[in-house]
Each structure stands twice: as structure tokens, then as C-alpha cells.
């Protein structure tokens, strides 16, 4: 089977290397970038200076009333406004307010079944003439939901067919063609998240309640986790008696991964601690005499301690406090009985 003949210089494509980007030599300088940021700042200031505060208050009160009466605050939007609406909904959820994002197209194909007459539907649209939202309005109204449009044009179709309208003043988009929605979406985000924080304050959300909604994050762990949630206990504890020889306790000192021995009496009351650092210092000062020394003779009888109901972050602060940081804290009850140990490694592993 023959092979194709090689291309002649006439047949060969103009270039056998990948095409260079059309804007390969494009550049931007610091003054240009600064000018853009200042322009965006000016556009945002226009919004702040012209926002109708009484109208915004009525909007916020409507959300507070509906959510307080067992309703859900739904948001919807198309394109970039949809992304913003979804984000604001998630902000409310994180604050413990029943909320959800309702995609307009999906709503028209069954998802509108989630709406009830106690709910509110907030429709974000820069123009207020978004076709998908206009089609959704009569269907949402038939479900009995309270409808609020949030737009950036003073006269629009969406405003006319909703129960309430909020106007977000827009001077112009930062885009040189005044087309790309970059300022309008920034305004929507600032507006929605600020209202969310107003609702947070009105509902007297505590720091603990907020943390309960963020259990996997550092915020939640800082405010939720107690020492008893992260401490080692029972067979994990490197315990010994004060009369036992130091050299007989080396396995216990190293095998439990705590870097210390917890010295206790017969009633499991804490007497003191002996660390691997203490071991090195004792070996250096005593030499072969270490073979005759007991743990009780060399232990620290005034160690830092903590209770099981203290916050885990408090334990970390106590470990790092002057005069010098430590790597662990024995955990004792109100009768000085040893019940656990919390280590810096354990706290870090828990996400604190």
C-alpha cells in the first residue's frame, strides 16, 4: 500500500507551529489598573449614595416576617444574577434562615412545586425584563408566594407584576461598552449580603448558633469543640506511679505518642508530669545515676492542667502561653482525678 507523497512548498500550510495568540503582546500597567479600581469604587459609591433606604427596610422586613412565620426565602435569577442570587441564598442558610435557590427554567418543569403560600420569592434581574423570570412570575403567584423583584432599571416589566420592587441604583457597568455585568452584580452581592447580616442581627443569632452551622470549619470547631471532644483517654494515657524507676517507663513514655508521662497515685489523682525533655535533662545532669531515679523524684509537680468542659481553643491558648509553650495538658476533673490528656498535635489534627 503506497504512502502519500510529501507536501510541496506550494501545498504546505503557511505555518506548522501553533498560531500565536492574537493579543500575545497585550499588556496592562499599574496606572490603568488603578484607574479601573477607582472607577469601580465610584460606581459603587453611586449605589450607596442613591439607595432607597426605606424601600430596602421594607424588603428586609418582608424577609424577616416570612422567615419568622415558617416560610422559606427563595431566590432566583438568570446568568450572572442567578449566581449572585444563589450565593445570597447560601449566606442566609449559613445564618440559620430557611432559604433556597430556585432555577427559573427548572421551576417551570416541576421544581416550582416546592413553593408554598407562606414563602417569598426574590427575583434578581438587572434589566427587569428577563424572559425566563417573566414566565415564572404567574406560576409562582398561582402558588401563593410573595414576589419581590430586585432590579437596576426604574421602569421594567418585572416590577409591574411583583408584589414589591427594590431598585438598586446603577450608574453604569465598569465594562467600557457598559455591557458586561460586573458593577451590577457587585451591587447585587453587596445589597443581598448586607440584608442577610441585618436579618442575622434581627434574629439575635448567637456566635454559638452560627458556629453550629459551620461544624467542619475552623469557626465552628473553635466555638463548638470542647477538651473532652479531642482528648485522649483511658488506655491511650501514658500513666505511671511516682515510685517507679524512670528507665522502667521508657516504653510508656514513647509508645503513647504524647511525649510525656502522667504521674498518678493509687486513686488516679494527678501528681505531676515527666516529659521526654525532662528525660534528656536528667540524663545529662545525672549520667548513670538516672538508673536509680524514680519518676516522682524528677517530675514536674505543678504542671498546667485543664478541665474536660473547657473549650478546645482555650487549651491551645493555655499551651502557647508564657513563660514557655508546652505540647500537652493533662485533663482532670474537679477532684483532681486524671481523665485524659489533650495534645497540641491532637488539636491541630482536629482542625484547630
Amino acid at each position: 500500500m503506497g504512502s502519500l507523497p510529501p507536501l510541496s512548498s506550494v501545498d504546505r500550510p503557511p505555518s506548522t507551529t501553533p498560531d500565536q495568540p492574537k493579543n500575545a503582546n497585550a499588556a496592562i500597567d499599574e496606572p490603568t489598573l488603578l484607574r479601573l479600581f477607582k472607577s469601580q469604587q465610584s460606581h459603587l459609591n453611586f449605589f450607596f449614595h442613591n439607595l432607597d433606604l426605606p424601600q430596602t427596610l421594607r424588603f428586609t422586613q418582608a424577609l424577616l416576617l416570612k422567615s419568622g412565620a415558617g416560610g422559606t426565602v427563595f431566590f432566583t435569577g438568570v446568568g450572572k444574577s442567578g449566581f449572585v442570587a444563589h450565593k445570597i441564598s447560601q449566606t442566609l442558610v449559613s445564618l440559620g434562615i430557611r432559604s433556597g435557590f430556585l432555577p427559573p427554567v427548572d421551576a417551570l418543569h416541576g421544581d416550582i412545586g416546592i413553593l408554598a403560600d407562606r414563602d417569598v420569592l426574590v427575583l434578581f434581574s438587572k434589566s427587569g425584563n428577563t424572559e425566563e423570570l417573566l414566565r415564572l412570575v404567574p406560576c409562582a403567584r398561582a402558588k401563593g408566594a410573595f414576589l419581590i423583584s430586585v432590579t437596576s432599571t426604574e421602569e421594567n416589566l418585572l416590577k409591574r407584576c411583583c408584589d414589591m420592587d427594590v431598585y438598586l441604583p446603577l450608574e453604569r457597568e465598569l465594562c467600557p461598552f457598559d455591557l458586561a455585568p460586573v458593577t451590577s452584580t457587585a451591587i447585587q452581592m453587596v445589597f443581598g449580603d448586607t440584608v442577610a447580616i441585618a436579618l442575622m442581627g434581627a434574629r439575635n443569632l448567637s456566635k454559638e448558633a452560627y458556629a453550629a452551622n459551620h461544624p467542619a470549619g475552623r469557626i465552628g470547631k473553635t466555638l463548638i469543640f470542647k477538651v473532652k471532644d479531642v482528648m485522649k483517654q483511658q488506655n491511650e494515657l501514658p500513666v505511671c506511679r511516682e515510685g517507679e524507676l524512670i528507665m522502667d517507663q521508657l516504653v510508656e513514655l514513647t509508645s503513647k505518642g504524647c511525649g510525656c508521662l502522667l504521674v498518678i497515685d493509687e486513686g488516679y489523682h494527678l501528681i505531676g508530669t515527666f516529659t521526654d525533655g525532662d528525660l534528656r535533662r536528667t540524663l545529662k545532669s545525672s549520667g548513670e545515676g538516672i538508673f536509680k531515679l524514680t519518676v516522682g523524684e524528677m517530675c514536674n509537680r505543678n504542671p498546667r492542667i485543664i478541665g474536660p468542659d473547657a473549650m478546645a481553643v482555650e487549651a491551645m491558648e493555655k499551651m502557647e502561653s508564657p513563660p514557655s509553650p508546652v505540647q500537652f495538658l493533662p485533663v482532670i476533673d474537679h477532684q483532681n482525678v486524671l481523665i485524659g490528656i489533650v495534645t497540641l498535635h491532637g488539636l491541630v489534627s482536629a482542625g484547630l
Side-chain angles (χ1 to χ4, degrees):
M1 189 173 185
S3 60
L4 292 174
L7 292 175
S8 68
S9 60
V10 176
D11 298 325
R12 191 180 303 279
S15 174
T16 57
T17 60
D19 291 338
Q20 293 292 323
K22 292 182 180 180
N23 297 320
N25 296 321
I28 190 166
D29 54 28
E30 187 174 304
T32 301
L33 192 60
L34 178 61
R35 186 169 61 252
L36 287 171
F37 275 108
K38 285 188 174 295
S39 294
Q40 183 74 311
Q41 182 183 34
S42 176
H43 299 330
L44 293 176
N45 284 338
F46 177 87
F47 161 74
F48 289 123
H49 294 154
N50 293 278
L51 180 65
D52 188 332
L53 196 57
Q55 185 185 66
T56 302
L57 178 59
R58 290 193 294 273
F59 170 76
T60 307
Q61 288 173 333
L63 300 193
L64 183 64
L65 178 64
K66 288 292 185 179
S67 62
T72 300
V73 181
F74 286 100
F75 291 82
T76 190
V78 176
K80 308 299 186 298
S81 293
F83 287 117
V84 173
H86 195 178
K87 192 275 175 187
I88 295 170
S89 171
Q90 291 302 106
T91 298
L92 290 182
V93 169
S94 75
L95 301 178
I97 299 171
R98 291 172 59 89
S99 184
F101 177 71
L102 187 62
V105 175
D106 292 343
L108 295 173
H109 290 272
D111 285 5
I112 200 170
I114 198 171
L115 274 181
D117 57 8
R118 62 182 178 273
D119 300 331
V120 58
L121 178 63
V122 182
L123 304 98
F124 273 84
S125 171
K126 173 187 172 182
S127 68
N129 297 313
T130 307
E131 182 180 350
E132 294 87 345
L133 299 183
L134 292 171
R135 291 205 308 266
L136 175 61
V137 165
C139 306
R141 186 174 298 284
K143 299 288 292 184
F146 187 78
L147 307 180
I148 306 176
S149 65
V150 180
T151 66
S152 287
T153 55
E154 294 192 79
E155 291 299 326
N156 59 75
L157 297 175
L158 201 58
K159 172 183 178 179
R160 298 175 192 171
C161 54
C162 286
D163 301 300
M164 180 185 292
D165 172 69
V166 178
Y167 171 61
L168 304 184
L170 174 66
E171 184 177 34
R172 60 158 290 140
E173 299 287 2
L174 183 63
C175 165
F177 309 120
D178 194 20
L179 293 175
V182 290
T183 304
S184 57
T185 50
I187 287 170
Q188 290 173 341
M189 188 75 78
V190 168
F191 172 81
D193 279 346
T194 303
V195 167
I197 297 305
L199 293 173
M200 177 185 181
R203 292 165 63 97
N204 296 315
L205 183 71
S206 67
K207 187 184 291 187
E208 290 72 23
Y210 178 78
N213 295 333
H214 300 75
R218 191 176 188 277
I219 296 173
K221 290 175 181 177
T222 299
L223 296 173
I224 294 174
F225 279 18
K226 294 186 175 182
V227 168
K228 61 186 176 185
D229 299 319
V230 295
M231 70 182 187
K232 293 185 177 185
Q233 51 191 322
Q234 298 177 351
N235 294 334
E236 298 177 293
L237 303 182
V239 296
C240 70
R241 303 288 193 265
E242 62 177 328
E244 294 175 323
L245 295 175
I246 292 175
M247 300 307 292
D248 291 341
Q249 295 300 315
L250 292 184
V251 173
E252 188 74 5
L253 176 63
T254 58
S255 64
K256 298 296 178 66
C258 298
C260 69
L261 289 171
L262 303 175
V263 188
I264 57 174
D265 63 15
E266 296 298 328
Y268 236 74
H269 298 98
L270 181 69
I271 295 175
T273 61
F274 183 84
T275 69
D276 49 10
D278 293 329
L279 175 65
R280 289 191 295 272
R281 287 186 289 271
T282 302
L283 184 59
K284 183 177 180 180
S285 62
S286 302
E288 293 184 0
I290 195 173
F291 289 99
K292 298 179 180 180
L293 293 175
T294 64
V295 178
E297 290 177 281
M298 303 305 298
C299 72
N300 173 17
R301 292 178 177 265
N302 188 32
R304 298 178 204 178
I305 56 175
I306 199 163
D309 292 318
M311 301 306 296
V313 68
E314 181 185 336
M316 179 172 283
E317 292 170 355
K318 201 165 189 177
M319 288 182 197
E320 296 172 344
S321 64
S324 59
V326 296
Q327 300 294 311
F328 66 90
L329 292 175
V331 184
I332 62 170
D333 65 12
H334 63 284
Q335 295 180 325
N336 197 43
V337 173
L338 178 69
I339 58 175
I341 184 173
V342 58
T343 66
L344 183 60
H345 179 268
L347 292 174
V348 173
S349 298
L352 293 165

